[in-house]
Short mmCIF file of all heavy atoms in Angstrom, two decimals:
data_model
loop_
_atom_site.label_atom_id
_atom_site.label_comp_id
_atom_site.label_asym_id
_atom_site.label_seq_id
_atom_site.Cartn_x
_atom_site.Cartn_y
_atom_site.Cartn_z
N ARG A 183 39.69 2.80 30.29
CA ARG A 183 40.37 2.09 31.38
C ARG A 183 40.07 2.79 32.71
O ARG A 183 39.72 2.15 33.70
CB ARG A 183 41.90 2.06 31.14
CG ARG A 183 42.32 1.02 30.12
CD ARG A 183 43.85 0.83 30.13
NE ARG A 183 44.59 2.04 29.77
CZ ARG A 183 44.86 2.38 28.49
NH1 ARG A 183 44.48 1.61 27.48
NH2 ARG A 183 45.54 3.47 28.24
N GLU A 184 40.18 4.10 32.71
CA GLU A 184 39.97 4.88 33.93
C GLU A 184 38.55 4.68 34.49
O GLU A 184 38.35 4.60 35.70
CB GLU A 184 40.22 6.36 33.59
CG GLU A 184 40.24 7.32 34.74
CD GLU A 184 41.39 7.07 35.69
OE1 GLU A 184 42.45 6.62 35.24
OE2 GLU A 184 41.20 7.30 36.92
N ALA A 185 37.59 4.60 33.55
CA ALA A 185 36.18 4.46 33.98
C ALA A 185 35.83 3.02 34.33
O ALA A 185 34.73 2.75 34.81
CB ALA A 185 35.26 4.97 32.88
N GLY A 186 36.74 2.09 34.04
CA GLY A 186 36.45 0.69 34.32
C GLY A 186 35.41 0.10 33.36
O GLY A 186 34.75 -0.89 33.69
N ALA A 187 35.26 0.70 32.19
CA ALA A 187 34.31 0.18 31.19
C ALA A 187 34.95 -1.00 30.46
O ALA A 187 36.17 -1.15 30.46
CB ALA A 187 33.97 1.29 30.21
N PRO A 188 34.12 -1.86 29.84
CA PRO A 188 34.70 -3.02 29.15
C PRO A 188 35.63 -2.59 28.01
O PRO A 188 35.31 -1.66 27.28
CB PRO A 188 33.49 -3.76 28.57
CG PRO A 188 32.29 -3.14 29.16
CD PRO A 188 32.66 -1.81 29.74
N GLN A 189 36.74 -3.30 27.90
CA GLN A 189 37.67 -3.04 26.80
C GLN A 189 36.89 -3.35 25.51
O GLN A 189 36.13 -4.31 25.46
CB GLN A 189 38.86 -3.97 26.93
CG GLN A 189 39.99 -3.66 25.98
CD GLN A 189 40.74 -4.93 25.56
OE1 GLN A 189 40.47 -6.03 26.05
NE2 GLN A 189 41.68 -4.77 24.66
N GLY A 190 36.99 -2.54 24.50
CA GLY A 190 36.27 -2.83 23.25
C GLY A 190 34.99 -2.02 23.11
O GLY A 190 34.32 -2.09 22.11
N VAL A 191 34.69 -1.21 24.13
CA VAL A 191 33.48 -0.41 24.03
C VAL A 191 33.68 0.72 23.01
O VAL A 191 32.71 1.20 22.42
CB VAL A 191 33.07 0.07 25.45
CG1 VAL A 191 33.80 1.31 25.88
CG2 VAL A 191 31.59 0.22 25.58
N ILE A 192 34.94 1.09 22.76
CA ILE A 192 35.25 2.01 21.66
C ILE A 192 36.42 1.43 20.86
O ILE A 192 37.48 1.15 21.43
CB ILE A 192 35.66 3.41 22.14
CG1 ILE A 192 34.62 4.01 23.08
CG2 ILE A 192 35.85 4.36 20.95
CD1 ILE A 192 35.02 5.36 23.65
N GLY A 193 36.22 1.24 19.58
CA GLY A 193 37.30 0.81 18.68
C GLY A 193 37.39 1.77 17.52
O GLY A 193 36.52 2.62 17.33
N MET A 194 38.45 1.65 16.73
CA MET A 194 38.57 2.55 15.58
C MET A 194 39.24 1.86 14.42
O MET A 194 40.23 1.14 14.61
CB MET A 194 39.37 3.79 15.98
CG MET A 194 39.31 4.89 14.92
SD MET A 194 40.08 6.43 15.48
CE MET A 194 41.75 6.17 14.93
N VAL A 195 38.71 2.05 13.23
CA VAL A 195 39.36 1.54 12.02
C VAL A 195 39.69 2.73 11.12
O VAL A 195 39.07 3.78 11.22
CB VAL A 195 38.47 0.53 11.25
CG1 VAL A 195 38.03 -0.61 12.15
CG2 VAL A 195 37.26 1.20 10.63
N GLU A 196 40.67 2.56 10.26
CA GLU A 196 41.03 3.63 9.34
C GLU A 196 41.49 3.00 8.03
O GLU A 196 41.86 1.82 8.01
CB GLU A 196 42.12 4.52 9.91
CG GLU A 196 43.40 3.76 10.22
CD GLU A 196 44.50 4.66 10.77
OE1 GLU A 196 44.40 5.89 10.65
OE2 GLU A 196 45.47 4.11 11.30
N GLY A 197 41.43 3.81 6.98
CA GLY A 197 41.86 3.25 5.71
C GLY A 197 42.08 4.32 4.66
O GLY A 197 41.50 5.39 4.73
N ALA A 198 42.95 4.00 3.73
CA ALA A 198 43.21 4.91 2.62
C ALA A 198 42.19 4.69 1.52
O ALA A 198 42.01 5.54 0.66
CB ALA A 198 44.62 4.69 2.09
N SER A 199 41.51 3.59 1.55
CA SER A 199 40.53 3.32 0.50
C SER A 199 39.15 3.15 1.11
O SER A 199 39.00 2.96 2.32
CB SER A 199 40.90 2.05 -0.27
OG SER A 199 40.41 0.92 0.42
N ARG A 200 38.14 3.20 0.25
CA ARG A 200 36.77 3.04 0.73
C ARG A 200 36.46 1.59 1.11
O ARG A 200 35.44 1.33 1.74
CB ARG A 200 35.80 3.53 -0.34
CG ARG A 200 35.88 5.03 -0.43
CD ARG A 200 34.90 5.62 -1.35
NE ARG A 200 34.93 7.07 -1.13
CZ ARG A 200 34.44 7.96 -1.97
NH1 ARG A 200 33.90 7.56 -3.09
NH2 ARG A 200 34.50 9.23 -1.68
N ASP A 201 37.34 0.67 0.73
CA ASP A 201 37.11 -0.74 1.04
C ASP A 201 36.95 -0.97 2.55
O ASP A 201 36.20 -1.82 2.99
CB ASP A 201 38.28 -1.61 0.54
CG ASP A 201 38.41 -1.55 -0.97
OD1 ASP A 201 37.45 -1.03 -1.60
OD2 ASP A 201 39.45 -1.97 -1.50
N VAL A 202 37.69 -0.15 3.33
CA VAL A 202 37.66 -0.33 4.78
C VAL A 202 36.25 -0.04 5.32
O VAL A 202 35.69 -0.83 6.10
CB VAL A 202 38.72 0.58 5.44
CG1 VAL A 202 38.49 0.73 6.93
CG2 VAL A 202 40.11 0.01 5.18
N GLY A 203 35.67 1.08 4.89
CA GLY A 203 34.32 1.43 5.34
C GLY A 203 33.29 0.43 4.87
O GLY A 203 32.38 0.05 5.62
N VAL A 204 33.42 0.00 3.63
CA VAL A 204 32.47 -0.96 3.07
C VAL A 204 32.57 -2.29 3.84
O VAL A 204 31.56 -2.89 4.22
CB VAL A 204 32.74 -1.17 1.56
CG1 VAL A 204 31.92 -2.35 1.02
CG2 VAL A 204 32.42 0.11 0.80
N TYR A 205 33.80 -2.72 4.13
CA TYR A 205 34.02 -3.98 4.88
C TYR A 205 33.36 -3.89 6.25
O TYR A 205 32.73 -4.84 6.72
CB TYR A 205 35.53 -4.25 4.99
CG TYR A 205 35.85 -5.60 5.58
CD1 TYR A 205 35.78 -6.75 4.80
CD2 TYR A 205 36.22 -5.73 6.92
CE1 TYR A 205 36.06 -8.00 5.35
CE2 TYR A 205 36.51 -6.96 7.47
CZ TYR A 205 36.44 -8.11 6.67
OH TYR A 205 36.71 -9.34 7.21
N LEU A 206 33.51 -2.71 6.88
CA LEU A 206 32.94 -2.53 8.21
C LEU A 206 31.41 -2.61 8.17
O LEU A 206 30.79 -3.28 9.00
CB LEU A 206 33.39 -1.16 8.76
CG LEU A 206 33.00 -0.83 10.20
CD1 LEU A 206 33.65 -1.80 11.18
CD2 LEU A 206 33.39 0.60 10.55
N VAL A 207 30.79 -1.95 7.19
CA VAL A 207 29.33 -1.97 7.10
C VAL A 207 28.82 -3.38 6.81
O VAL A 207 27.76 -3.78 7.29
CB VAL A 207 28.85 -0.96 6.03
CG1 VAL A 207 27.36 -1.11 5.75
CG2 VAL A 207 29.15 0.46 6.47
N ARG A 208 29.60 -4.15 6.04
CA ARG A 208 29.18 -5.52 5.71
C ARG A 208 29.45 -6.49 6.85
O ARG A 208 28.98 -7.63 6.81
CB ARG A 208 29.97 -6.01 4.48
CG ARG A 208 29.53 -5.37 3.19
CD ARG A 208 30.36 -5.93 2.06
NE ARG A 208 30.06 -5.29 0.80
CZ ARG A 208 30.76 -5.43 -0.30
NH1 ARG A 208 31.84 -6.21 -0.30
NH2 ARG A 208 30.42 -4.80 -1.40
N HIS A 209 30.20 -6.08 7.84
CA HIS A 209 30.68 -7.03 8.85
C HIS A 209 29.50 -7.60 9.65
O HIS A 209 28.67 -6.83 10.19
CB HIS A 209 31.66 -6.35 9.81
CG HIS A 209 32.56 -7.33 10.48
ND1 HIS A 209 32.11 -8.20 11.44
CD2 HIS A 209 33.87 -7.60 10.31
CE1 HIS A 209 33.12 -8.96 11.85
NE2 HIS A 209 34.20 -8.62 11.16
N PRO A 210 29.41 -8.93 9.78
CA PRO A 210 28.26 -9.50 10.51
C PRO A 210 28.21 -9.10 11.98
O PRO A 210 27.15 -9.17 12.61
CB PRO A 210 28.46 -11.03 10.38
CG PRO A 210 29.77 -11.23 9.70
CD PRO A 210 30.26 -9.93 9.15
#
Side-chain angles (χ1 to χ4, degrees):
R183 282 192 298 274
E184 188 64 32
Q189 189 212 356
V191 84
I192 306 176
M194 191 173 90
V195 305
E196 60 179 344
S199 84
R200 289 185 169 163
D201 297 347
V202 165
V204 170
Y205 187 79
L206 185 63
V207 171
R208 287 180 184 169
H209 203 290

